[in-house]
């Protein structure tokens, strides 16, 4: 499950060479600086997650799980009881950094269960935890790659792909979700042109997606979010490919604000609109997008640009973080298990 | 043609109290600082236009015409021949600051013709020029107000109006084009809620439109350009109202990039999409939008935000300044002569 040397996809979370730390790419500094940071204590792991040095639900889960391991290893607990107390405390602190995400709690739980189920002395327990955290990382990498392999059949040589926000390697342990088919396509020699919405207000597109695609040698062009329509009108976009934060049982897609207008524009122009996700993003318990609560974020993110206040004082802003694209605007949903075509029915999983 | 004191609309270009200078609002400093600047020489006028202290085709034309007058008055020419030489030189320099715009050349020409057609000594010539420049300003103000009065019938109490870029008082000598119906509505006691697209890359919406609307007491909410779709989906937008840079004979509308996706989204949601323009923006000689050349601006505008580099090095950007909305997506075109409904035919004017 490694990436071809010809397509150098960034690894956003991995073990340090001596395995005594979690090595992350500091996403706060991108794209101005590419800085890798080794996290070795509970404090360092919590700080990295809280300050968005690590972001993307899968990457956060992996970082938390691996962080729990390296912190436990450094604790040098004399007894299993002492180690167990340390692990419980450390896991609770890490989990509290992002209480709403499901991946982080799930990954920490897996590592804690591995510890509880292992035989032997504290050193053996830590090794069992390390194997579990490595398994989580490896599974995520494999899942990303399967998304890529499943989705690449939708791409042809010379294809011009429009994406939004960052659903790439920086958000996962592997080669991403929406970007995975692009990386697999590039490995296979397809000439792919990426068009990247800058994705206001936080600019994950121009800051992160454009950076990781360009680093992998994929020709990348950034546009403002309001330019996509004009490019579709000129027939300069062949397809849209985005990730998702949650997909409801009926196929409705919650994703970064700005996804829904892309889907409407794609339909208006007869351009395919694809969504790529790991199966863990499917939520069979959510019947449709109507029951997805949309987080409203700080208006300041809209009233500022590049950290500079741009809007007049006394003006308000609305800043919904996500929008919901109805299933009828989605051409297909690519997962690690295959390509799903409409009508979608995920009420019983895939 | 003055604005009600209850709705204090900014005056972006006017005479200074002693009429020896052109008083402009410096739009480079907005919204952080409200600075009025008096321009009294050809150099000062050229500099203000070139650096975008004054922007918006009508405002630029008025500023150029009035600037030519104050510069000529200060020249203290002893003879008509000396004055005529000064005027020709000064007008050529002002016209060269924005060679592509039609309003500036047209307004300068009007003032020069007034000079050539006047009798008397140099002082009389300058007074004839001053009357003509004042007429240009007054005509623009009256035209804006007629657009407002014609368009206000489309607004109801409590209406939520989405606009894009700045087609307001800051772009004209009066109360704007797209914003004119909002100001007239506010004067008449309508409760209007303005939703303003921030309008990347140059943020004319959050910097300028939000500023002038809030200053006039109209409740104003800024959104990122990609949020409009989600608000329409939630039925939080009643209508769209935008300006235009050029309207073709068949009603196709060239306006700031991001206008076309709004029109597609409005149609998808059954929301009216209105365009407000002075009749001078109608171009009967352009049969349709296909023959409108779209200016591509510096990619750096997209790769930066708030003056800060945000995108990775090595990444390119596309930056079309305008897009074309086909006439079939336009619900009505409001001009100073009335409201024009589809099918549009401006081949012989209005």
């Amino acid at each position: 499950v490694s990436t071809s040397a010809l397509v150098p996809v960034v690894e956003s979370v991995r073990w340090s060479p001596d395995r005594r730390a979690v090595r992350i790419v500091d996403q706060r500094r991108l794209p101005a600086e590419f800085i890798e940071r080794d996290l070795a204590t509970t404090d360092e792991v919590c700080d990295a997650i809280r300050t968005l040095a690590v972001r993307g639900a899968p990457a956060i889960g992996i970082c938390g799980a691996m962080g729990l391991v390296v912190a436990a290893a450094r604790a040098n607990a004399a007894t299993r009881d002492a180690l167990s107390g340390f692990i419980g405390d450390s896991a609770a602190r890490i989990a509290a950094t992002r209480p709403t995400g499901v991946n982080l709690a799930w990954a920490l739980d897996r590592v804690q269960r591995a510890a509880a189920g292992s035989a032997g002395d504290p050193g053996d327990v830590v090794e069992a935890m390390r194997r579990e955290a490595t398994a989580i990382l490896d599974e995520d990498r494999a899942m990303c790659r399967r998304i890529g392999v499943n989705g690449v059949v939708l791409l042809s040589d010379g294809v011009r792909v429009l994406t939004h926000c960052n659903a790439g390697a920086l958000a996962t342990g592997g080669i991403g979700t929406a970007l995975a088919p692009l990386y697999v396509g590039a490995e296979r020699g397809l000439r792919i042109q990426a068009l990247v919405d800058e994705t206001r207000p936080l600019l994950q597109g121009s800051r992160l997606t454009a950076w990781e695609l360009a680093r992998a040698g994929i020709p990348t062009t950034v546009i403002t979010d309001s330019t996509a329509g004009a490019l579709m009108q000129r027939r300069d976009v062949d397809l849209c490919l985005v990730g998702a934060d949650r997909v409801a049982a009926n196929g409705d897609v919650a994703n970064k604000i700005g996804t829904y207008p892309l889907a409407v524009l794609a339909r208006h122009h007869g351009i395919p609109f694809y969504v790529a996700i790991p199966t863990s993003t499917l939520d069979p318990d959510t019947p449709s997008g109507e029951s997805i609560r949309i987080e409203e974020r700080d208006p300041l993110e809209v009233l500022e640009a590049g950290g500079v206040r741009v809007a007049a004082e006394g003006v308000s802003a609305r800043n919904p973080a996500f929008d919901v694209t109805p299933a009828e605007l989605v051409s297909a949903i690519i997962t690690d298990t295959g390509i799903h075509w409409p009508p979608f029915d995920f009420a019983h999983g895939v």
Side-chain angles (χ1 to χ4, degrees), chain A:
Chain A
V1 292
S2 75
T3 300
S4 156
L6 292 173
V7 181
V9 181
V10 65
E11 289 183 272
S12 63
V13 191
R14 53 179 165 159
W15 296 115
S16 68
D18 66 5
R19 303 187 132 229
R20 290 175 53 79
V22 186
R23 180 161 291 182
I24 62 153
V25 175
D26 189 341
Q27 299 191 35
R28 297 167 299 189
R29 311 294 287 272
L30 289 176
E33 294 177 289
F34 176 60
I35 295 177
E36 291 188 306
R37 202 173 288 285
D38 285 355
L39 315 174
T41 68
T42 307
D43 280 346
E44 287 172 359
V45 170
C46 290
D47 192 57
I49 297 174
R50 198 181 288 115
T51 62
L52 306 183
V54 182
R55 51 156 286 287
I60 288 170
I62 294 162
C63 178
M66 292 168 64
L68 184 59
V69 175
V70 297
R74 273 179 201 254
N76 282 323
T79 65
R80 283 194 60 134
D81 270 2
L83 180 61
S84 178
F86 178 89
I87 291 169
D89 173 65
S90 179
R93 287 171 55 211
I94 294 171
T97 56
R98 298 292 293 266
T100 51
V102 76
N103 291 61
L104 178 56
W106 167 86
L108 289 167
D109 187 57
R110 272 185 65 172
V111 172
Q112 286 179 278
R113 281 170 190 272
S118 77
D121 63 20
D124 297 326
V125 173
V126 169
E127 277 318 301
M129 293 169 68
R130 189 184 301 280
R131 281 192 299 276
E132 190 68 12
T134 302
I136 293 171
L137 173 61
D138 287 345
E139 288 164 21
D140 191 70
R141 286 179 174 169
M143 194 160 58
C144 289
R145 181 149 288 275
R146 283 196 300 272
I147 293 169
V149 169
N150 290 337
V152 73
V153 301
L154 300 169
L155 308 183
S156 55
D157 192 39
V159 68
R160 297 159 301 176
V161 178
L162 176 62
T163 191
H164 190 73
C165 198
N166 179 260
L170 287 169
T172 64
I175 59 173
T177 54
L179 300 191
L182 276 63
Y183 289 130
V184 172
E187 281 175 22
R188 296 185 181 179
L190 294 182
R191 285 164 298 181
I192 292 166
Q193 289 182 51
L195 290 160
V196 178
D197 274 350
E198 63 174 5
T199 318
R200 278 281 290 157
L202 295 183
L203 301 170
Q204 292 92 338
S206 55
R207 287 194 304 112
L208 304 178
T209 298
W211 177 84
E212 68 166 89
L213 287 172
R215 186 170 183 276
I218 295 175
T220 300
T221 302
V222 176
I223 56 174
T224 66
D225 303 321
S226 73
T227 301
L231 297 192
M232 290 187 195
Q233 190 186 42
R234 299 179 195 185
R235 319 310 302 171
D236 285 349
V237 178
D238 295 310
L239 59 89
C240 300
L241 180 51
V242 301
D245 288 79
R246 204 196 305 198
V247 173
N250 72 341
D252 288 354
V253 172
N255 191 41
K256 183 66 58 197
I257 188 78
T259 302
Y260 170 62
L262 280 191
V264 172
L265 287 163
R267 173 60 51 89
H268 185 79
H269 294 92
I271 293 170
F273 182 83
Y274 300 123
V275 178
I277 52 163
T279 47
S280 55
T281 297
L282 290 174
D283 184 357
D285 296 334
T286 298
S288 77
E290 281 180 33
S291 44
I292 299 177
R293 210 178 127 256
I294 299 298
E295 175 191 356
E296 282 270 345
R297 292 178 57 84
D298 189 342
L300 264 188
E301 292 178 353
V302 175
L303 300 171
E304 296 184 341
V308 178
R309 173 85 187 198
V310 288
E313 297 296 330
V315 163
S316 65
R318 288 188 65 177
N319 188 16
F322 307 99
D323 58 27
V324 175
T325 300
E328 62 260 29
L329 294 178
V330 178
S331 306
I333 296 177
I334 307 158
T335 75
D336 43 303
T337 65
I339 301 181
H340 307 272
W341 302 95
F344 305 111
D345 181 4
F346 303 120
H348 307 287
V350 288

